[in-house]
């Protein structure tokens, strides 16, 4: 008898596990799912780290939970963490779900600026010193505004500064992402690639390129979510994850 693999939901950059609340509420009851704060965010005691550091942290979390094999679902930067974990320990991954996930050709000119030696630290410090305050101010005056904006109000890391995490992760887009993609070339791992063609953060070409790299992948284009798909259309994302989990067993 085949057992359904649990699903680990990996949030993007910046953020924490609460980005998945809407999806968790809507997943089929047959799906066992969990969402944790990645290193450098929320209540995680782990320091900010590279894609490899995140992948090793993730595999350690699976060990702690007694999980031998799981479906990894990553949003945005979390998609890159899922890719790295699959490259390091493919036997631990039943399938991959990339939701507006980083991948081939995802880095934009803005990403280059945020990763730059001088401008990067200055912008990261300015943005993530002010963004939560602005979001809290906006939430207090516009309580009915989209939850995706309100989510910035609570971004934090109890054991460090979020701007340092963001800066490190921006630089990983240029330092090591290609390495993990190359290690996954010609893999026969089942994958689901979800993207909105209107996404302004990760281009639709990245989703198509990921689809090309995974022979057993399915590309699903959705509407109404932009880049923040788990927050803006959680019902759609939950349904697609549930279907994928059923398909891989």
């Amino acid at each position: 008898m085949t057992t359904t693999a649990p699903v680990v939901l990996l949030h993007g950059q910046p953020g924490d596990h609460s980005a998945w609340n809407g999806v968790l509420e809507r997943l089929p009851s047959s799906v066992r799912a969990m969402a944790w704060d990645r290193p450098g965010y929320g209540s995680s005691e782990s320091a900010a780290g590279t894609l490899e550091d995140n992948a090793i942290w993730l595999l350690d979390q699976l060990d702690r939970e007694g999980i031998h094999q799981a479906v990894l679902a990553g949003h945005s930067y979390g998609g890159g963490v899922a890719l790295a974990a699959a490259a390091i320990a493919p036997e631990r991954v039943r399938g991959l779900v990339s939701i507006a996930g980083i991948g081939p050709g995802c880095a934009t000119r803005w990403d280059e600026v945020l990763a730059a030696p001088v401008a990067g630290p200055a912008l990261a410090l300015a943005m993530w010193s002010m963004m939560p305050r602005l979001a809290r101010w906006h939430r207090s005056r516009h309580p009915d505004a989209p939850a995706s904006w309100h989510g910035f109000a609570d971004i934090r890391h109890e054991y460090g500064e979020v701007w340092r995490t963001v800066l490190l992760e921006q630089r990983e887009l240029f330092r090591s992402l290609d390495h993990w993609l190359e290690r996954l070339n010609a893999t026969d791992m089942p994958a689901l690639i979800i993207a909105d063609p209107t996404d302004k953060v990760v281009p639709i070409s990245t989703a198509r390129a990921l689809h090309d790299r995974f022979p057993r992948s399915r590309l699903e284009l959705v509407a109404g979510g932009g880049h923040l798909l788990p927050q803006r259309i959680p019902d759609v994302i939950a349904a697609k994850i549930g279907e994928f989990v059923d398909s891989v067993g």
Side-chain angles (χ1 to χ4, degrees):
M1 177 177 169
T2 301
T3 57
T4 301
V7 180
V8 178
L9 305 170
L10 299 161
H11 67 80
Q13 172 223 76
D16 61 26
H17 72 279
S18 66
W20 294 104
N21 285 351
V23 173
L24 287 166
E25 292 168 1
R26 293 165 173 82
L27 280 170
S29 58
S30 60
V31 176
R32 177 190 173 195
M34 55 212 73
W36 301 310
D37 293 337
R38 290 197 298 103
Y41 295 110
S43 59
S44 174
E45 296 184 11
S46 300
T50 63
L51 281 169
E52 182 174 14
D53 293 333
N54 271 255
I56 292 171
W57 160 84
L58 173 57
L59 295 170
D60 182 62
Q61 288 290 110
L62 294 180
D63 289 340
R64 291 171 184 266
E65 295 290 329
I67 298 171
H68 173 65
Q69 216 177 39
V71 171
L72 303 182
H75 171 241
S76 193
Y77 194 89
V81 175
L83 293 173
I88 291 172
E91 73 283 358
R92 306 292 301 272
V93 183
R94 184 77 63 88
L96 288 171
V97 183
S98 174
I99 304 165
I102 61 173
C106 68
T108 65
R109 183 63 58 85
W110 177 242
D111 289 316
E112 291 180 11
V113 172
L114 288 175
V118 177
L123 285 171
L125 176 58
M127 288 174 64
W128 299 109
S129 294
M130 294 301 298
M131 185 68 76
R133 298 177 190 176
L134 290 172
R136 285 193 291 271
W137 175 86
H138 189 271
R139 182 172 62 184
S140 68
R141 286 158 177 76
H142 305 281
D144 297 325
S148 54
W149 167 248
H150 285 176
F152 287 119
D154 302 314
I155 289 172
R156 74 201 192 290
H157 182 216
E158 295 175 5
Y159 301 93
E161 298 167 304
V162 169
W163 74 267
R164 295 185 184 278
T165 306
V166 172
L167 177 63
L168 188 157
E169 293 185 346
Q170 282 296 130
R171 290 175 172 172
E172 277 293 280
L173 295 179
F174 301 93
R175 288 176 179 169
S176 74
L177 179 57
D178 285 348
H179 165 74
W180 298 112
L181 291 169
E182 288 169 7
R183 285 188 57 171
L184 280 168
N185 268 345
T187 181
D188 65 350
M189 188 176 295
L192 172 63
I193 316 297
I194 306 174
D196 184 338
T198 66
D199 189 342
K200 302 300 183 185
V201 178
V202 175
I204 188 62
S205 58
T206 292
R208 298 189 190 282
L210 279 174
H211 177 45
D212 290 341
R213 283 176 181 252
F214 286 84
R216 294 179 60 194
S217 67
R218 187 169 76 250
L219 175 61
E220 296 272 357
L221 301 183
V222 298
H227 184 64
L228 300 176
L229 300 176
Q231 296 100 315
R232 290 181 175 165
I233 52 170
D235 52 338
V236 174
I237 300 305
K240 292 192 179 298
I241 290 175
E243 292 168 2
F244 180 74
V245 171
D246 286 343
S247 73
V248 300

